[in-house]
Amino acid sequence: MSSVQTQQEQLSQSDPSPSPNSCSSFELIDMDAGSLYEPVTPHWFYCKIIDSKETWIPFNSEDSQQLEEAYSSGKDCNGRVVPTDGGRYDVHLGERMRYAVYWDELASEVRRCTWFYKGDKDNKYVPYSESFSQVLEETYMLAVTLDEWKKKLESPNREIIILHNPKLMVHYQPVAGSDEWGSTPTEQGRPRTVKRGVENISVDIHCVNDFRSVSLNLLQTHFKKAQENQQIGRVEFLPVNWHSPLHSTGVDVDLQRITLPSINRLRHFTNDTILDVFFYNSPTYCQTIVDTVASEMNRIYTLFLQRNPDFKGGVSIAGHSLGSLILFDILTNQKDSLGDIDSEKDSLNIVMDQGDTSSLEEDLKKLHLSEFFDIFKKEKVDKEALALCTDRDLQEMGIPLGPRKKIINYFSTRKNSMSVSGANIAKESEFCSRSNTRHDDYLDVGIGQVSVKYPRLIYKPEIFFAFGSPIGMFLTVRGLKRIDPNYRFPTCKGFFNIYHPFDPVAYRIEPMVVPGVEFEPMLIPHHKGRKRMHLELREGLTRMSMDLKNNLLGSLRMAWKSFTRAPYPALQASEMAEETEAEPESTSEKSSDVNTEETSVTVKEEVLPINVGMLNGGQRIDYVLQEKPIESFNEYLFALQSHLCYWESEDTVLLVLKEIYQTQGIFLDQPLQ
């Protein structure tokens, strides 16, 4: 008896594979199972195609319960719609289909599941159809009630299911060719495990590790107190799709024909990225892009309010790669209807160092033609007059051929660039004339940007998050040398430029606001602590070696402090103040040969606040992620991966949650260090 039980337990824990002739050895004796039957608890699943394969994913417990209540209500299921996944998907109960609400996606099958079998390769449980599950349940009920086991059933696919006992139920696939001569399927091959109910199957959190699921996990660990006090709700993430409409033009196919076959992954990344950049710099496609993005943002917002009429929270937006530049341009060209005068001033401040403010003498100095200034002065030729001079005019004034060509080329180039910028301004002011008749409502973001009409958003975003963004590079090549420190988006209060240090597409913003100062970006804390250990070690050794080089270390304690001192960008201001107060030296240590005054000055220099303007409400703008230890070994190997890392990065998600909840006065349970 004990040997049979031991063998039974082993088989129930693993994937059993009994031979057809040994089924009797798995019977349980004297189970006294009569009257132990309890109806199975169903759980609802939906089918998703992943890597060209059907994968059944469970709804979370709350959604499954709502679906079951609607199913069991006694009402006709036809036409019954149940919102799931936080309202992002609707389940049409009668059809047993699941539809996306805010974006286009293939509908997926939904199933009320009670019986499962284990798949062949991925070892995941697959639900039987509802009709066959009902047959299995009825057979199981009779077996339990009558205590009569070894029940054999045939599925619609002519597969054999045998219920040996409550703990051992197996599923045999039909052997190929077994029914060619009309014979019945037999119990051959490796059997699958059959399972009743969803016990021990995880149904609370989806397997997909995306931005939304990472956010839900972090709420449990970093905002638990606020959740328990019901101070906050979850943050919903809704995608805005603008990429697909552009790539349905056939250009991708044409580009693929001329793409070299080597380093396929890199070339695919290049084609995808560069093609979007070309699209955005084309007047036709640029207008299509901004119209698509803005209309989708407005449509999703309107639909969300319709489905959530009691919503009182704010809206923030995030853009990745070129998407962040699109959002930057849209936000720059918004109009604050509640404060037109102030926003007008702000919109004018962003374009700096583009006007023709230099004197004729300075222009000639740039061209290395200062010796001809006296000639122009004698002839009373200023910049405006010189710009109108022809080659013959300059020749008559005695200017040699080479300098004449330089002058004509210089002024014709500046004239063309100013006319391009003027055309952009005029066209954009026409778009804004609906609400204001002034002609200087909007100023072009920079020389070289195509002229388009920027649509208005119907809401004011709280914060704009840019991930892996090329905004800084685009503004620079458009001719923008710096951003006025007083500039802010007309309708958006916050702006965070978040990037991975190895991201080849990302650029900084702060040096454009403070061009004369060199300083590090803010280091994003690790979601489990202040800094990754390998970075602490590397920076600690670097600081200690520098202090040794400068002959600042005279004691073991000072060496340890130099090693463990963290640079300012990784710390909060309050933390730095606490460390400063806790560091007074004793009298004996002051008498040592260490220059403590010089050391304290060095530390103070690290903690000086940096003013980066009002683009983020006076806060820092550039935030850099900490690379993982494995990424430090080869920066180039992880370059492409780093450009896509943001959507699965707990550190990125935590920073986004932290800033969003701070707008509502909610802070982390434990401040990031």
Side-chain angles (χ1 to χ4, degrees), residues 66-300:
Q66 289 182 354
L67 289 167
E68 184 62 22
E69 289 175 356
Y71 172 83
S72 306
S73 64
K75 300 179 181 178
D76 186 8
C77 290
N78 292 326
R80 190 78 181 268
V81 177
V82 180
T84 62
D85 298 273
R88 296 184 302 277
Y89 290 89
D90 283 342
V91 172
H92 292 231
L93 211 57
E95 301 177 27
R96 292 292 199 274
M97 297 298 290
R98 173 177 176 264
Y99 297 91
V101 173
Y102 297 101
W103 58 87
D104 291 331
E105 182 181 312
L106 290 176
S108 52
E109 182 185 351
V110 172
R111 190 174 290 180
R112 181 178 183 262
C113 304
T114 53
W115 284 77
F116 306 82
Y117 65 88
K118 187 169 287 188
D120 294 326
K121 298 179 180 179
D122 54 13
N123 216 28
K124 293 180 180 178
Y125 283 102
V126 180
Y128 289 105
S129 67
E130 292 187 36
S131 57
F132 188 64
S133 292
Q134 186 175 353
V135 174
L136 285 169
E137 182 65 18
E138 292 173 353
T139 305
Y140 177 86
M141 179 183 65
L142 288 174
V144 171
T145 304
L146 302 176
D147 195 17
E148 295 179 359
W149 293 95
K150 294 185 65 176
K151 299 287 185 180
K152 182 182 294 188
L153 297 90
E154 183 177 335
S155 74
N157 297 329
R158 306 208 59 179
E159 298 173 336
I160 297 296
I161 292 90
I162 301 178
L163 310 183
H164 291 295
N165 56 59
K167 293 186 178 181
L168 181 60
M169 297 174 282
V170 291
H171 174 140
Y172 292 96
Q173 293 178 279
V175 178
S178 62
D179 58 350
E180 291 179 0
W181 303 98
S183 59
T184 59
T186 58
E187 312 159 32
Q188 296 184 14
R190 183 175 179 84
R192 296 166 166 175
T193 301
V194 176
K195 191 177 188 311
R196 177 178 180 265
V198 294
E199 185 181 0
N200 299 326
I201 298 179
S202 176
V203 295
D204 289 325
I205 297 177
H206 294 179
C207 300
V208 181
N209 184 29
D210 59 6
F211 214 78
R212 183 178 295 106
S213 60
V214 171
S215 169
L216 293 175
N217 291 335
L218 290 174
L219 284 182
Q220 303 294 327
T221 57
H222 291 72
F223 295 91
K224 190 174 183 179
K225 187 181 298 182
Q227 274 198 315
E228 291 174 350
N229 296 334
Q230 297 184 343
Q231 294 176 289
I232 60 172
R234 62 184 173 84
V235 176
E236 183 58 276
F237 299 94
L238 300 174
V240 176
N241 180 27
W242 59 271
H243 190 268
S244 300
L246 291 175
H247 289 259
S248 60
T249 60
V251 180
D252 297 55
V253 178
D254 297 335
L255 192 63
Q256 188 60 38
R257 288 202 297 265
I258 61 175
T259 301
L260 301 181
S262 58
I263 52 173
N264 183 60
R265 183 186 173 195
L266 181 59
R267 293 192 191 279
H268 176 75
F269 174 83
T270 303
N271 285 355
D272 213 29
T273 305
I274 291 181
L275 187 60
D276 287 342
V277 172
F278 287 159
F279 271 136
Y280 194 59
N281 282 286
S282 161
T284 303
Y285 289 113
C286 183
Q287 187 67 64
T288 301
I289 290 174
V290 296
D291 287 345
T292 302
V293 171
S295 63
E296 272 294 284
M297 293 171 71
N298 289 337
R299 182 189 69 83
I300 291 174

Side-chain angles (χ1 to χ4, degrees), residues 543-572:
R543 283 193 302 272
M544 191 165 68
S545 64
M546 289 298 296
D547 287 348
L548 284 170
K549 183 178 179 181
N550 295 331
N551 196 25
L552 298 179
L553 298 180
S555 69
L556 181 60
R557 181 175 180 181
M558 288 299 298
W560 175 251
K561 284 190 176 183
S562 177
F563 177 78
T564 57
R565 187 179 73 240
Y568 170 71
L571 296 176
Q572 305 291 338

Side-chain angles (χ1 to χ4, degrees), residues 481-550:
K481 295 184 178 180
R482 68 183 294 260
I483 299 174
D484 191 299
N486 295 320
Y487 175 75
R488 66 183 73 185
F489 293 123
T491 60
C492 184
K493 299 176 182 177
F495 175 43
F496 290 84
N497 182 41
I498 301 169
Y499 61 93
H500 190 284
F502 302 156
D503 188 341
V505 182
Y507 289 81
R508 291 192 63 182
I509 298 292
E510 291 174 338
M512 298 190 70
V513 184
V514 194
V517 182
E518 291 187 8
F519 54 95
E520 295 295 323
M522 291 293 288
L523 186 67
I524 300 177
H526 190 267
H527 65 286
K528 291 184 178 179
R530 188 171 76 186
K531 190 178 294 186
R532 295 182 185 271
M533 185 177 296
H534 73 288
L535 295 179
E536 290 272 18
L537 180 62
R538 184 172 65 193
E539 292 177 1
L541 290 173
T542 301
R543 283 193 302 272
M544 191 165 68
S545 64
M546 289 298 296
D547 287 348
L548 284 170
K549 183 178 179 181
N550 295 331

